[in-house]
Structure formats: C-alpha cells, structure tokens
Amino acid sequence: MLITRRVPASEALYTHICVTVNGQPVQTPLCRVSAMPYNTPWPGFQRPLDQTEEASFLGFESDGPVTLTVTYDHPVTEVLVRPLSKHVSVMLEGQTAVFTLPGPGAFTLEADGFHSALHIFFDPVRDFPAMTEGRTRNVITFGPGVHRIGRMELQSGTTVLIDKDAYLYGSFTAVCAEDVDILGYGVIDGSLEVRTSDTGLVPHLYDGMIPADREGIFGMLEDQNMLSGLLRFYRCRNIRVEGPILRDSAAFAVIPANCENCTFENIKTIGMWKYNSDGIDLFNSRNVVIRNCFLRNFDDCIVIKGICGWDEWNNENILVEGCVVWCDWGRNLELGAETNAPEYRNVIFRDCDCIHGSTIYLDIQHHNRADIHHVLFENIRCEYTRYQLPDVFQTDMNAPFPTDRPQHHPLLMCLPIYRSGLFSEDGLNGRTHDVMFKDIQVLTDDASVPMPESSFTGLDADHTVEHVVAENVTFNGTPVSGRAGLRLNLNQFTADIRV
C-alpha cells in the first residue's frame, strides 16, 4: 500500500524536478535551506537570502519497497542517495534518476553535490486517530489544507492530530502540562514568526530559577518577548511527538525544558536556514527518547543543554537513536555549549547517520559547571564529501562568502572544556569523564577525502577530560588504530585516553 500526499494550492512547489513514486506523480513542496556555512552572532537582522537556496522535500507512506523516478530540468552528471550506509543504488539515464528504497526512513537525493537536494521522508503506515481510541482525551484535529494557528497552548490530556495533507502556520506550547501528544504527518511551519533584536531566543534567568508554575512561566516568556519556534514544552511530563515535518523556524525548532518522560519519534526538521535555527534542544531534562528523526538545521541539530534558570535539574537518561542528521552549521550530535547543571549522565547516541556536517560531528562542548559522565556514542556513521565547504564566521555583513579558503572538513570527535563565562555568570567549570566512542564509521564519497581529525582537551588540572575510549573506529571500512591513525589531538589536561 502506497499513500502519497497532496499539497494545498497555496503552497509553493519546487519546480526543477518531476518525481514519481511507484509510477504515481507526486508533488515536491519547496523549502529554503542554507547554501553555505557562513554564520555570525545575531546582527540585528535576519540572514540574507543570497546565503540560502531553494530545495525540496517529499513525504509518503508505504508498507513495502518503493521506486522513485526523478527527472531534472537541467543536465546532471552524478547522483547519490544518502545515508551512504543504506547502499541505495541509483541508475542515471540522461537527466533521470531511478532508485528503489527498501523501507521507511529519511533519505536525500543529491545531484552533483549537496546543493538543491531532494529530502525524502518514507514514513511507515500509521493510523494516528486509532491511537486515541479508548482514551479520555481532548482531541484537536487539523484536516487537509492550510491552518493559521498562531501560538497554540496545549493543556494536559490533549492529543493533536495533524492530517498528512495539513499545513499549520504557527507553533505549539505546553507549560506545566502532562500527557500531551502531537501526532501526524502534516507540516508545522514557523515562517510567520519574525525575529528582531527585541525578541528573546532562549528563556533563561542568570539570577534565579525559572518559575515553577504556569502563570509564572508565561509571565517570564512575555517579559522576555520570547520566540515560540515550533514546539515548546516547559516543565512538562509524558510528552509524545510523532510524525510531523517542522519547517522554517525563527529560533530553536524544538525545546523541552525541565521535562521528563518525552518521546520524539520520526519528526523532521527542514527549511531551517535562519540564524540559530537549531533542531531539538533539550534543556535540563530526563528520560527522553529521540528516535528515527531527520534533522537538517542551520546550527546545531540535536543538542543537550544546561541553561541557567532551569539548571537545578540534571540532563540524564537520554537516548538518541536511528536519526539522520545534516548540520549546515555547528554540531550534529552535541552536549553543550551551555552545560549549567549538576550532572549530565546516562546519555546515549546510537545507530545514527551524520550525512553532512560543518564544524564537529560528535561533540561535548563543556563551558560550565556540570559533571559530565557516562556518555556513549555507538554505531554512528559519519559521512564526508569532496564538496565540503569551510565554515566561516562573517565579520563584515557586506562581504560575500569567501571562495579562497582551503577546504576544511568537520572534526569527527571533540571533547573540549572551555573557561567559564559563556552562558553563565557563576565562573564555575566542570569535568568530562567516562565517555565511549564505539563502532564509529567514517565514510567518504571520494578517495581524495582524508581521515578527519579529532580533539580531546581539558582546561586545567582540576577540570580534565579523563577515561575516554575510542573503540573500533573505521575509515571506509578499514580499522583505524592508535592516536596517530585517529589524528587525535590531546593536551596535558587529559588522562586515560584509550584508542
């Protein structure tokens, strides 16, 4: 059974390709993505469009393999499907690419490099309305078409059902709520929210704790003129989000802050081209699962942060698995940079594909006081491309992206501890220890791409990186041995580093 989607007439389509799925013509909605890793601290205005480009996405459901035929309106010499680990063969005849996807997952089709990619969301067949049957719930349903929802607040015991052909413009916020579900394969779009220098990016307090009650939190959000992004959960329990496509956020797309017992399943972030348009940013939360998601973001993709004001809580018991991650700036899978918390512990990143990156793929960026330990990166595939562009900070807002910089590939693994002062005022630093990188694969699309570098660096004798294991790291299938083979940089404030 194949279930395709219809795009509302008012939605823009990407017109440079024609696509069929199992012979059925399908529409490809438009999204805007970053064209280059060119970033700057918020300059008071949004990112110029000439640093971005148009791309496309496509969603469908099937309970069996599907064959896609994609015809370009221009000559194409090379096409490939990522993740490379899926080993999808593409037949190119003239300007038409044909390939078969064996089962559900997130894929990209890229022609002659990463520009103007087609993002493919092959979803499992799900009966979301049936998931509410027999439960006492407040059910909010959005059918096919366009809905302008603004910032919608969700109360405890609420399920939101989003039809596969629904496009919602706005965001959802839940505060001090529990048992909230957002289900369905439709699109939640944040493009109507405008960021200015008077709007707040991250809700925080340097001089006290965030209020514990709903009214107090809403008052703080109003006082800070806080951006809503797409999904916000503040001091919530028992949250489930499954299925939606999240497009074009003006800030971090998803924030759970001081939340517990949360599952984010098969969500997709796309069209994230604006400054600080992160993917999923956990703030001091516990018992969280992020599974089978696709994230393409201009800034960090999956990030576990410790934020002042929320920081009485640990980040603990967090599992990220089965995700496909494309980072246009920053880090793919990260702890930090804000690490205000007593501890980070029992954090697992497992069975993920990092298909593009900018600065670092696997990172613990430690700026603050947390004791970070028992972190596992396991069975992660990190892809490197000969089309890689160097990441550049823009200091002159009139200067175009430089074309004379040497190619620079993202670091593979990085564990730095930095002097406190960023994102905190307490002047305290912590430690990083008991971290394992296991079964890490480096995959390249060309023999000219070198083994990437890695770096573990402590701050001083009291704030060290210790007890770190890198086990079974491979480069295009060949085992990498020793510090030299791993191209690993260490400083004097590290100990018990085993490769």
Side-chain angles (χ1 to χ4, degrees):
M1 176 172 59
L2 172 66
I3 303 172
T4 59
R5 296 174 191 167
R6 298 185 65 182
V7 181
S10 60
E11 288 295 312
L13 300 176
Y14 185 78
T15 59
H16 299 290
I17 55 175
C18 292
V19 182
T20 67
V21 180
N22 285 355
Q24 297 185 32
V26 294
Q27 297 171 302
T28 50
L30 180 72
C31 60
R32 184 167 294 279
V33 297
S34 176
M36 60 196 71
Y38 202 24
N39 202 0
T40 189
W42 174 249
F45 50 87
Q46 196 45 265
R47 195 170 177 214
L49 289 183
D50 62 8
Q51 296 179 13
T52 72
E53 65 186 18
E54 293 183 348
S56 57
F57 64 95
L58 166 67
F60 56 85
E61 300 155 67
S62 179
D63 55 6
V66 298
T67 297
L68 282 80
T69 301
V70 180
T71 301
Y72 294 86
D73 69 355
H74 57 276
V76 173
T77 60
E78 173 194 69
V79 290
L80 59 78
V81 171
R82 298 181 188 272
L84 297 177
S85 65
K86 300 301 183 182
H87 304 291
V88 176
S89 297
V90 186
M91 181 176 64
L92 180 63
E93 294 186 355
Q95 295 173 197
T96 298
V98 181
F99 55 97
T100 298
L101 302 178
F107 305 87
T108 62
L109 176 67
E110 303 173 23
D112 298 326
F114 63 87
H115 292 293
S116 303
L118 170 62
H119 306 77
I120 303 164
F121 306 135
F122 182 166
D123 292 315
V125 177
R126 297 283 274 156
D127 186 351
F128 290 111
M131 295 172 64
T132 68
E133 294 177 0
R135 304 173 69 191
T136 303
R137 308 285 288 177
N138 172 34
V139 180
I140 303 171
T141 301
F142 294 95
V146 175
H147 308 264
R148 294 179 181 263
I149 65 173
R151 187 181 74 179
M152 179 172 286
E153 183 190 353
L154 301 178
Q155 305 290 338
S156 294
T158 296
T159 294
V160 177
L161 293 177
I162 306 173
D163 187 89
K164 63 182 177 60
D165 299 328
Y167 282 67
L168 280 55
Y169 283 81
S171 64
F172 292 103
T173 298
V175 178
C176 299
E178 58 184 38
D179 302 317
V180 173
D181 296 341
I182 300 174
L183 309 173
Y185 290 139
V187 175
I188 306 173
D189 184 287
S191 61
L192 299 183
E193 184 172 51
V194 177
R195 182 181 180 185
T196 71
S197 293
D198 295 324
T199 53
L201 179 68
V202 177
H204 71 279
L205 290 175
Y206 282 152
D207 56 355
M209 296 306 298
I210 301 292
D213 62 294
R214 175 181 171 277
E215 291 75 17
I217 291 176
F218 271 117
M220 178 203 67
L221 297 176
E222 183 176 355
D223 290 343
Q224 297 184 0
N225 195 19
M226 192 59 52
L227 292 164
S228 298
L230 293 169
L231 302 178
R232 295 288 184 269
F233 304 100
Y234 300 124
R235 297 198 190 278
C236 292
R237 299 178 59 209
N238 306 331
I239 303 298
R240 181 174 184 85
V241 182
E242 181 179 348
I245 296 170
L246 309 180
R247 183 176 66 178
D248 198 356
S249 182
F252 299 178
V254 182
I255 295 178
N258 276 182
C259 291
E260 57 183 332
N261 306 333
C262 301
T263 298
F264 300 93
E265 175 91 21
N266 191 22
I267 69 173
K268 308 93 172 173
T269 63
I270 188 64
M272 305 292 177
W273 59 274
K274 296 172 181 173
Y275 294 122
N276 302 112
S277 56
D278 288 27
I280 302 175
D281 290 48
L282 304 182
F283 296 180
N284 303 85
S285 292
R286 60 197 181 209
N287 305 332
V288 177
V289 175
I290 302 170
R291 178 182 290 125
N292 297 336
C293 296
F294 173 88
L295 300 105
R296 181 177 181 181
N297 295 84
F298 185 71
D299 221 320
D300 306 328
C301 291
I302 300 178
V303 193
I304 303 171
K305 293 181 178 289
I307 299 294
C308 286
W310 307 96
D311 54 305
E312 288 184 344
W313 279 36
N314 292 337
N315 282 304
E316 59 186 346
N317 305 329
I318 296 166
L319 173 64
V320 177
E321 67 175 352
C323 294
V324 177
V325 184
W326 178 333
C327 186
D328 282 313
W329 174 272
R331 278 78 168 169
N332 293 60
L333 304 174
E334 180 183 26
L335 280 63
E338 303 93 322
T339 50
N340 299 285
E343 291 182 82
Y344 283 58
R345 64 186 181 187
N346 302 331
V347 178
I348 299 173
F349 297 92
R350 174 184 292 149
D351 191 24
C352 294
D353 291 277
C354 297
I355 63 172
H356 287 288
S358 166
T359 306
I360 301 168
Y361 277 120
L362 312 177
D363 185 38
I364 301 177
Q365 187 182 179
H366 199 348
H367 279 268
N368 307 110
R369 75 177 194 278
D371 183 24
I372 298 178
H373 61 97
H374 291 92
V375 179
L376 172 65
F377 296 87
E378 181 179 25
N379 193 22
I380 312 294
R381 281 84 58 186
C382 297
E383 300 182 16
Y384 287 77
T385 176
R386 68 182 182 279
Y387 296 105
Q388 185 72 41
L389 296 174
D391 51 346
V392 179
F393 270 104
Q394 186 173 12
T395 56
D396 179 353
M397 298 310 295
N398 295 313
F401 183 78
T403 58
D404 58 348
R405 301 284 182 94
Q407 188 178 60
H408 176 72
H409 291 281
L411 294 178
L412 177 62
M413 303 175 290
C414 194
L415 305 180
I417 301 179
Y418 297 111
R419 179 68 60 191
S420 185
L422 184 66
F423 314 122
S424 178
E425 296 181 347
D426 61 17
L428 301 177
N429 281 105
R431 297 171 57 234
T432 301
H433 59 98
D434 294 286
V435 177
M436 172 170 272
F437 299 91
K438 182 179 180 182
D439 302 334
I440 308 300
Q441 300 178 43
V442 176
L443 304 172
T444 73
D445 60 13
D446 191 85
S448 66
V449 179
M451 176 69 190
E453 297 181 54
S454 295
S455 178
F456 304 159
T457 55
L459 175 65
D460 55 36
D462 297 318
H463 307 99
T464 56
V465 174
E466 299 185 13
H467 314 308
V468 180
V469 177
E471 177 181 306
N472 192 28
V473 179
T474 60
F475 178 64
N476 290 327
T478 300
V480 174
S481 61
R483 177 179 166 185
L486 199 58
R487 300 187 68 193
L488 174 61
N489 174 56
L490 303 175
N491 71 0
Q492 67 269 40
F493 305 120
T494 63
D496 189 24
I497 309 299
R498 290 172 284 163
V499 178

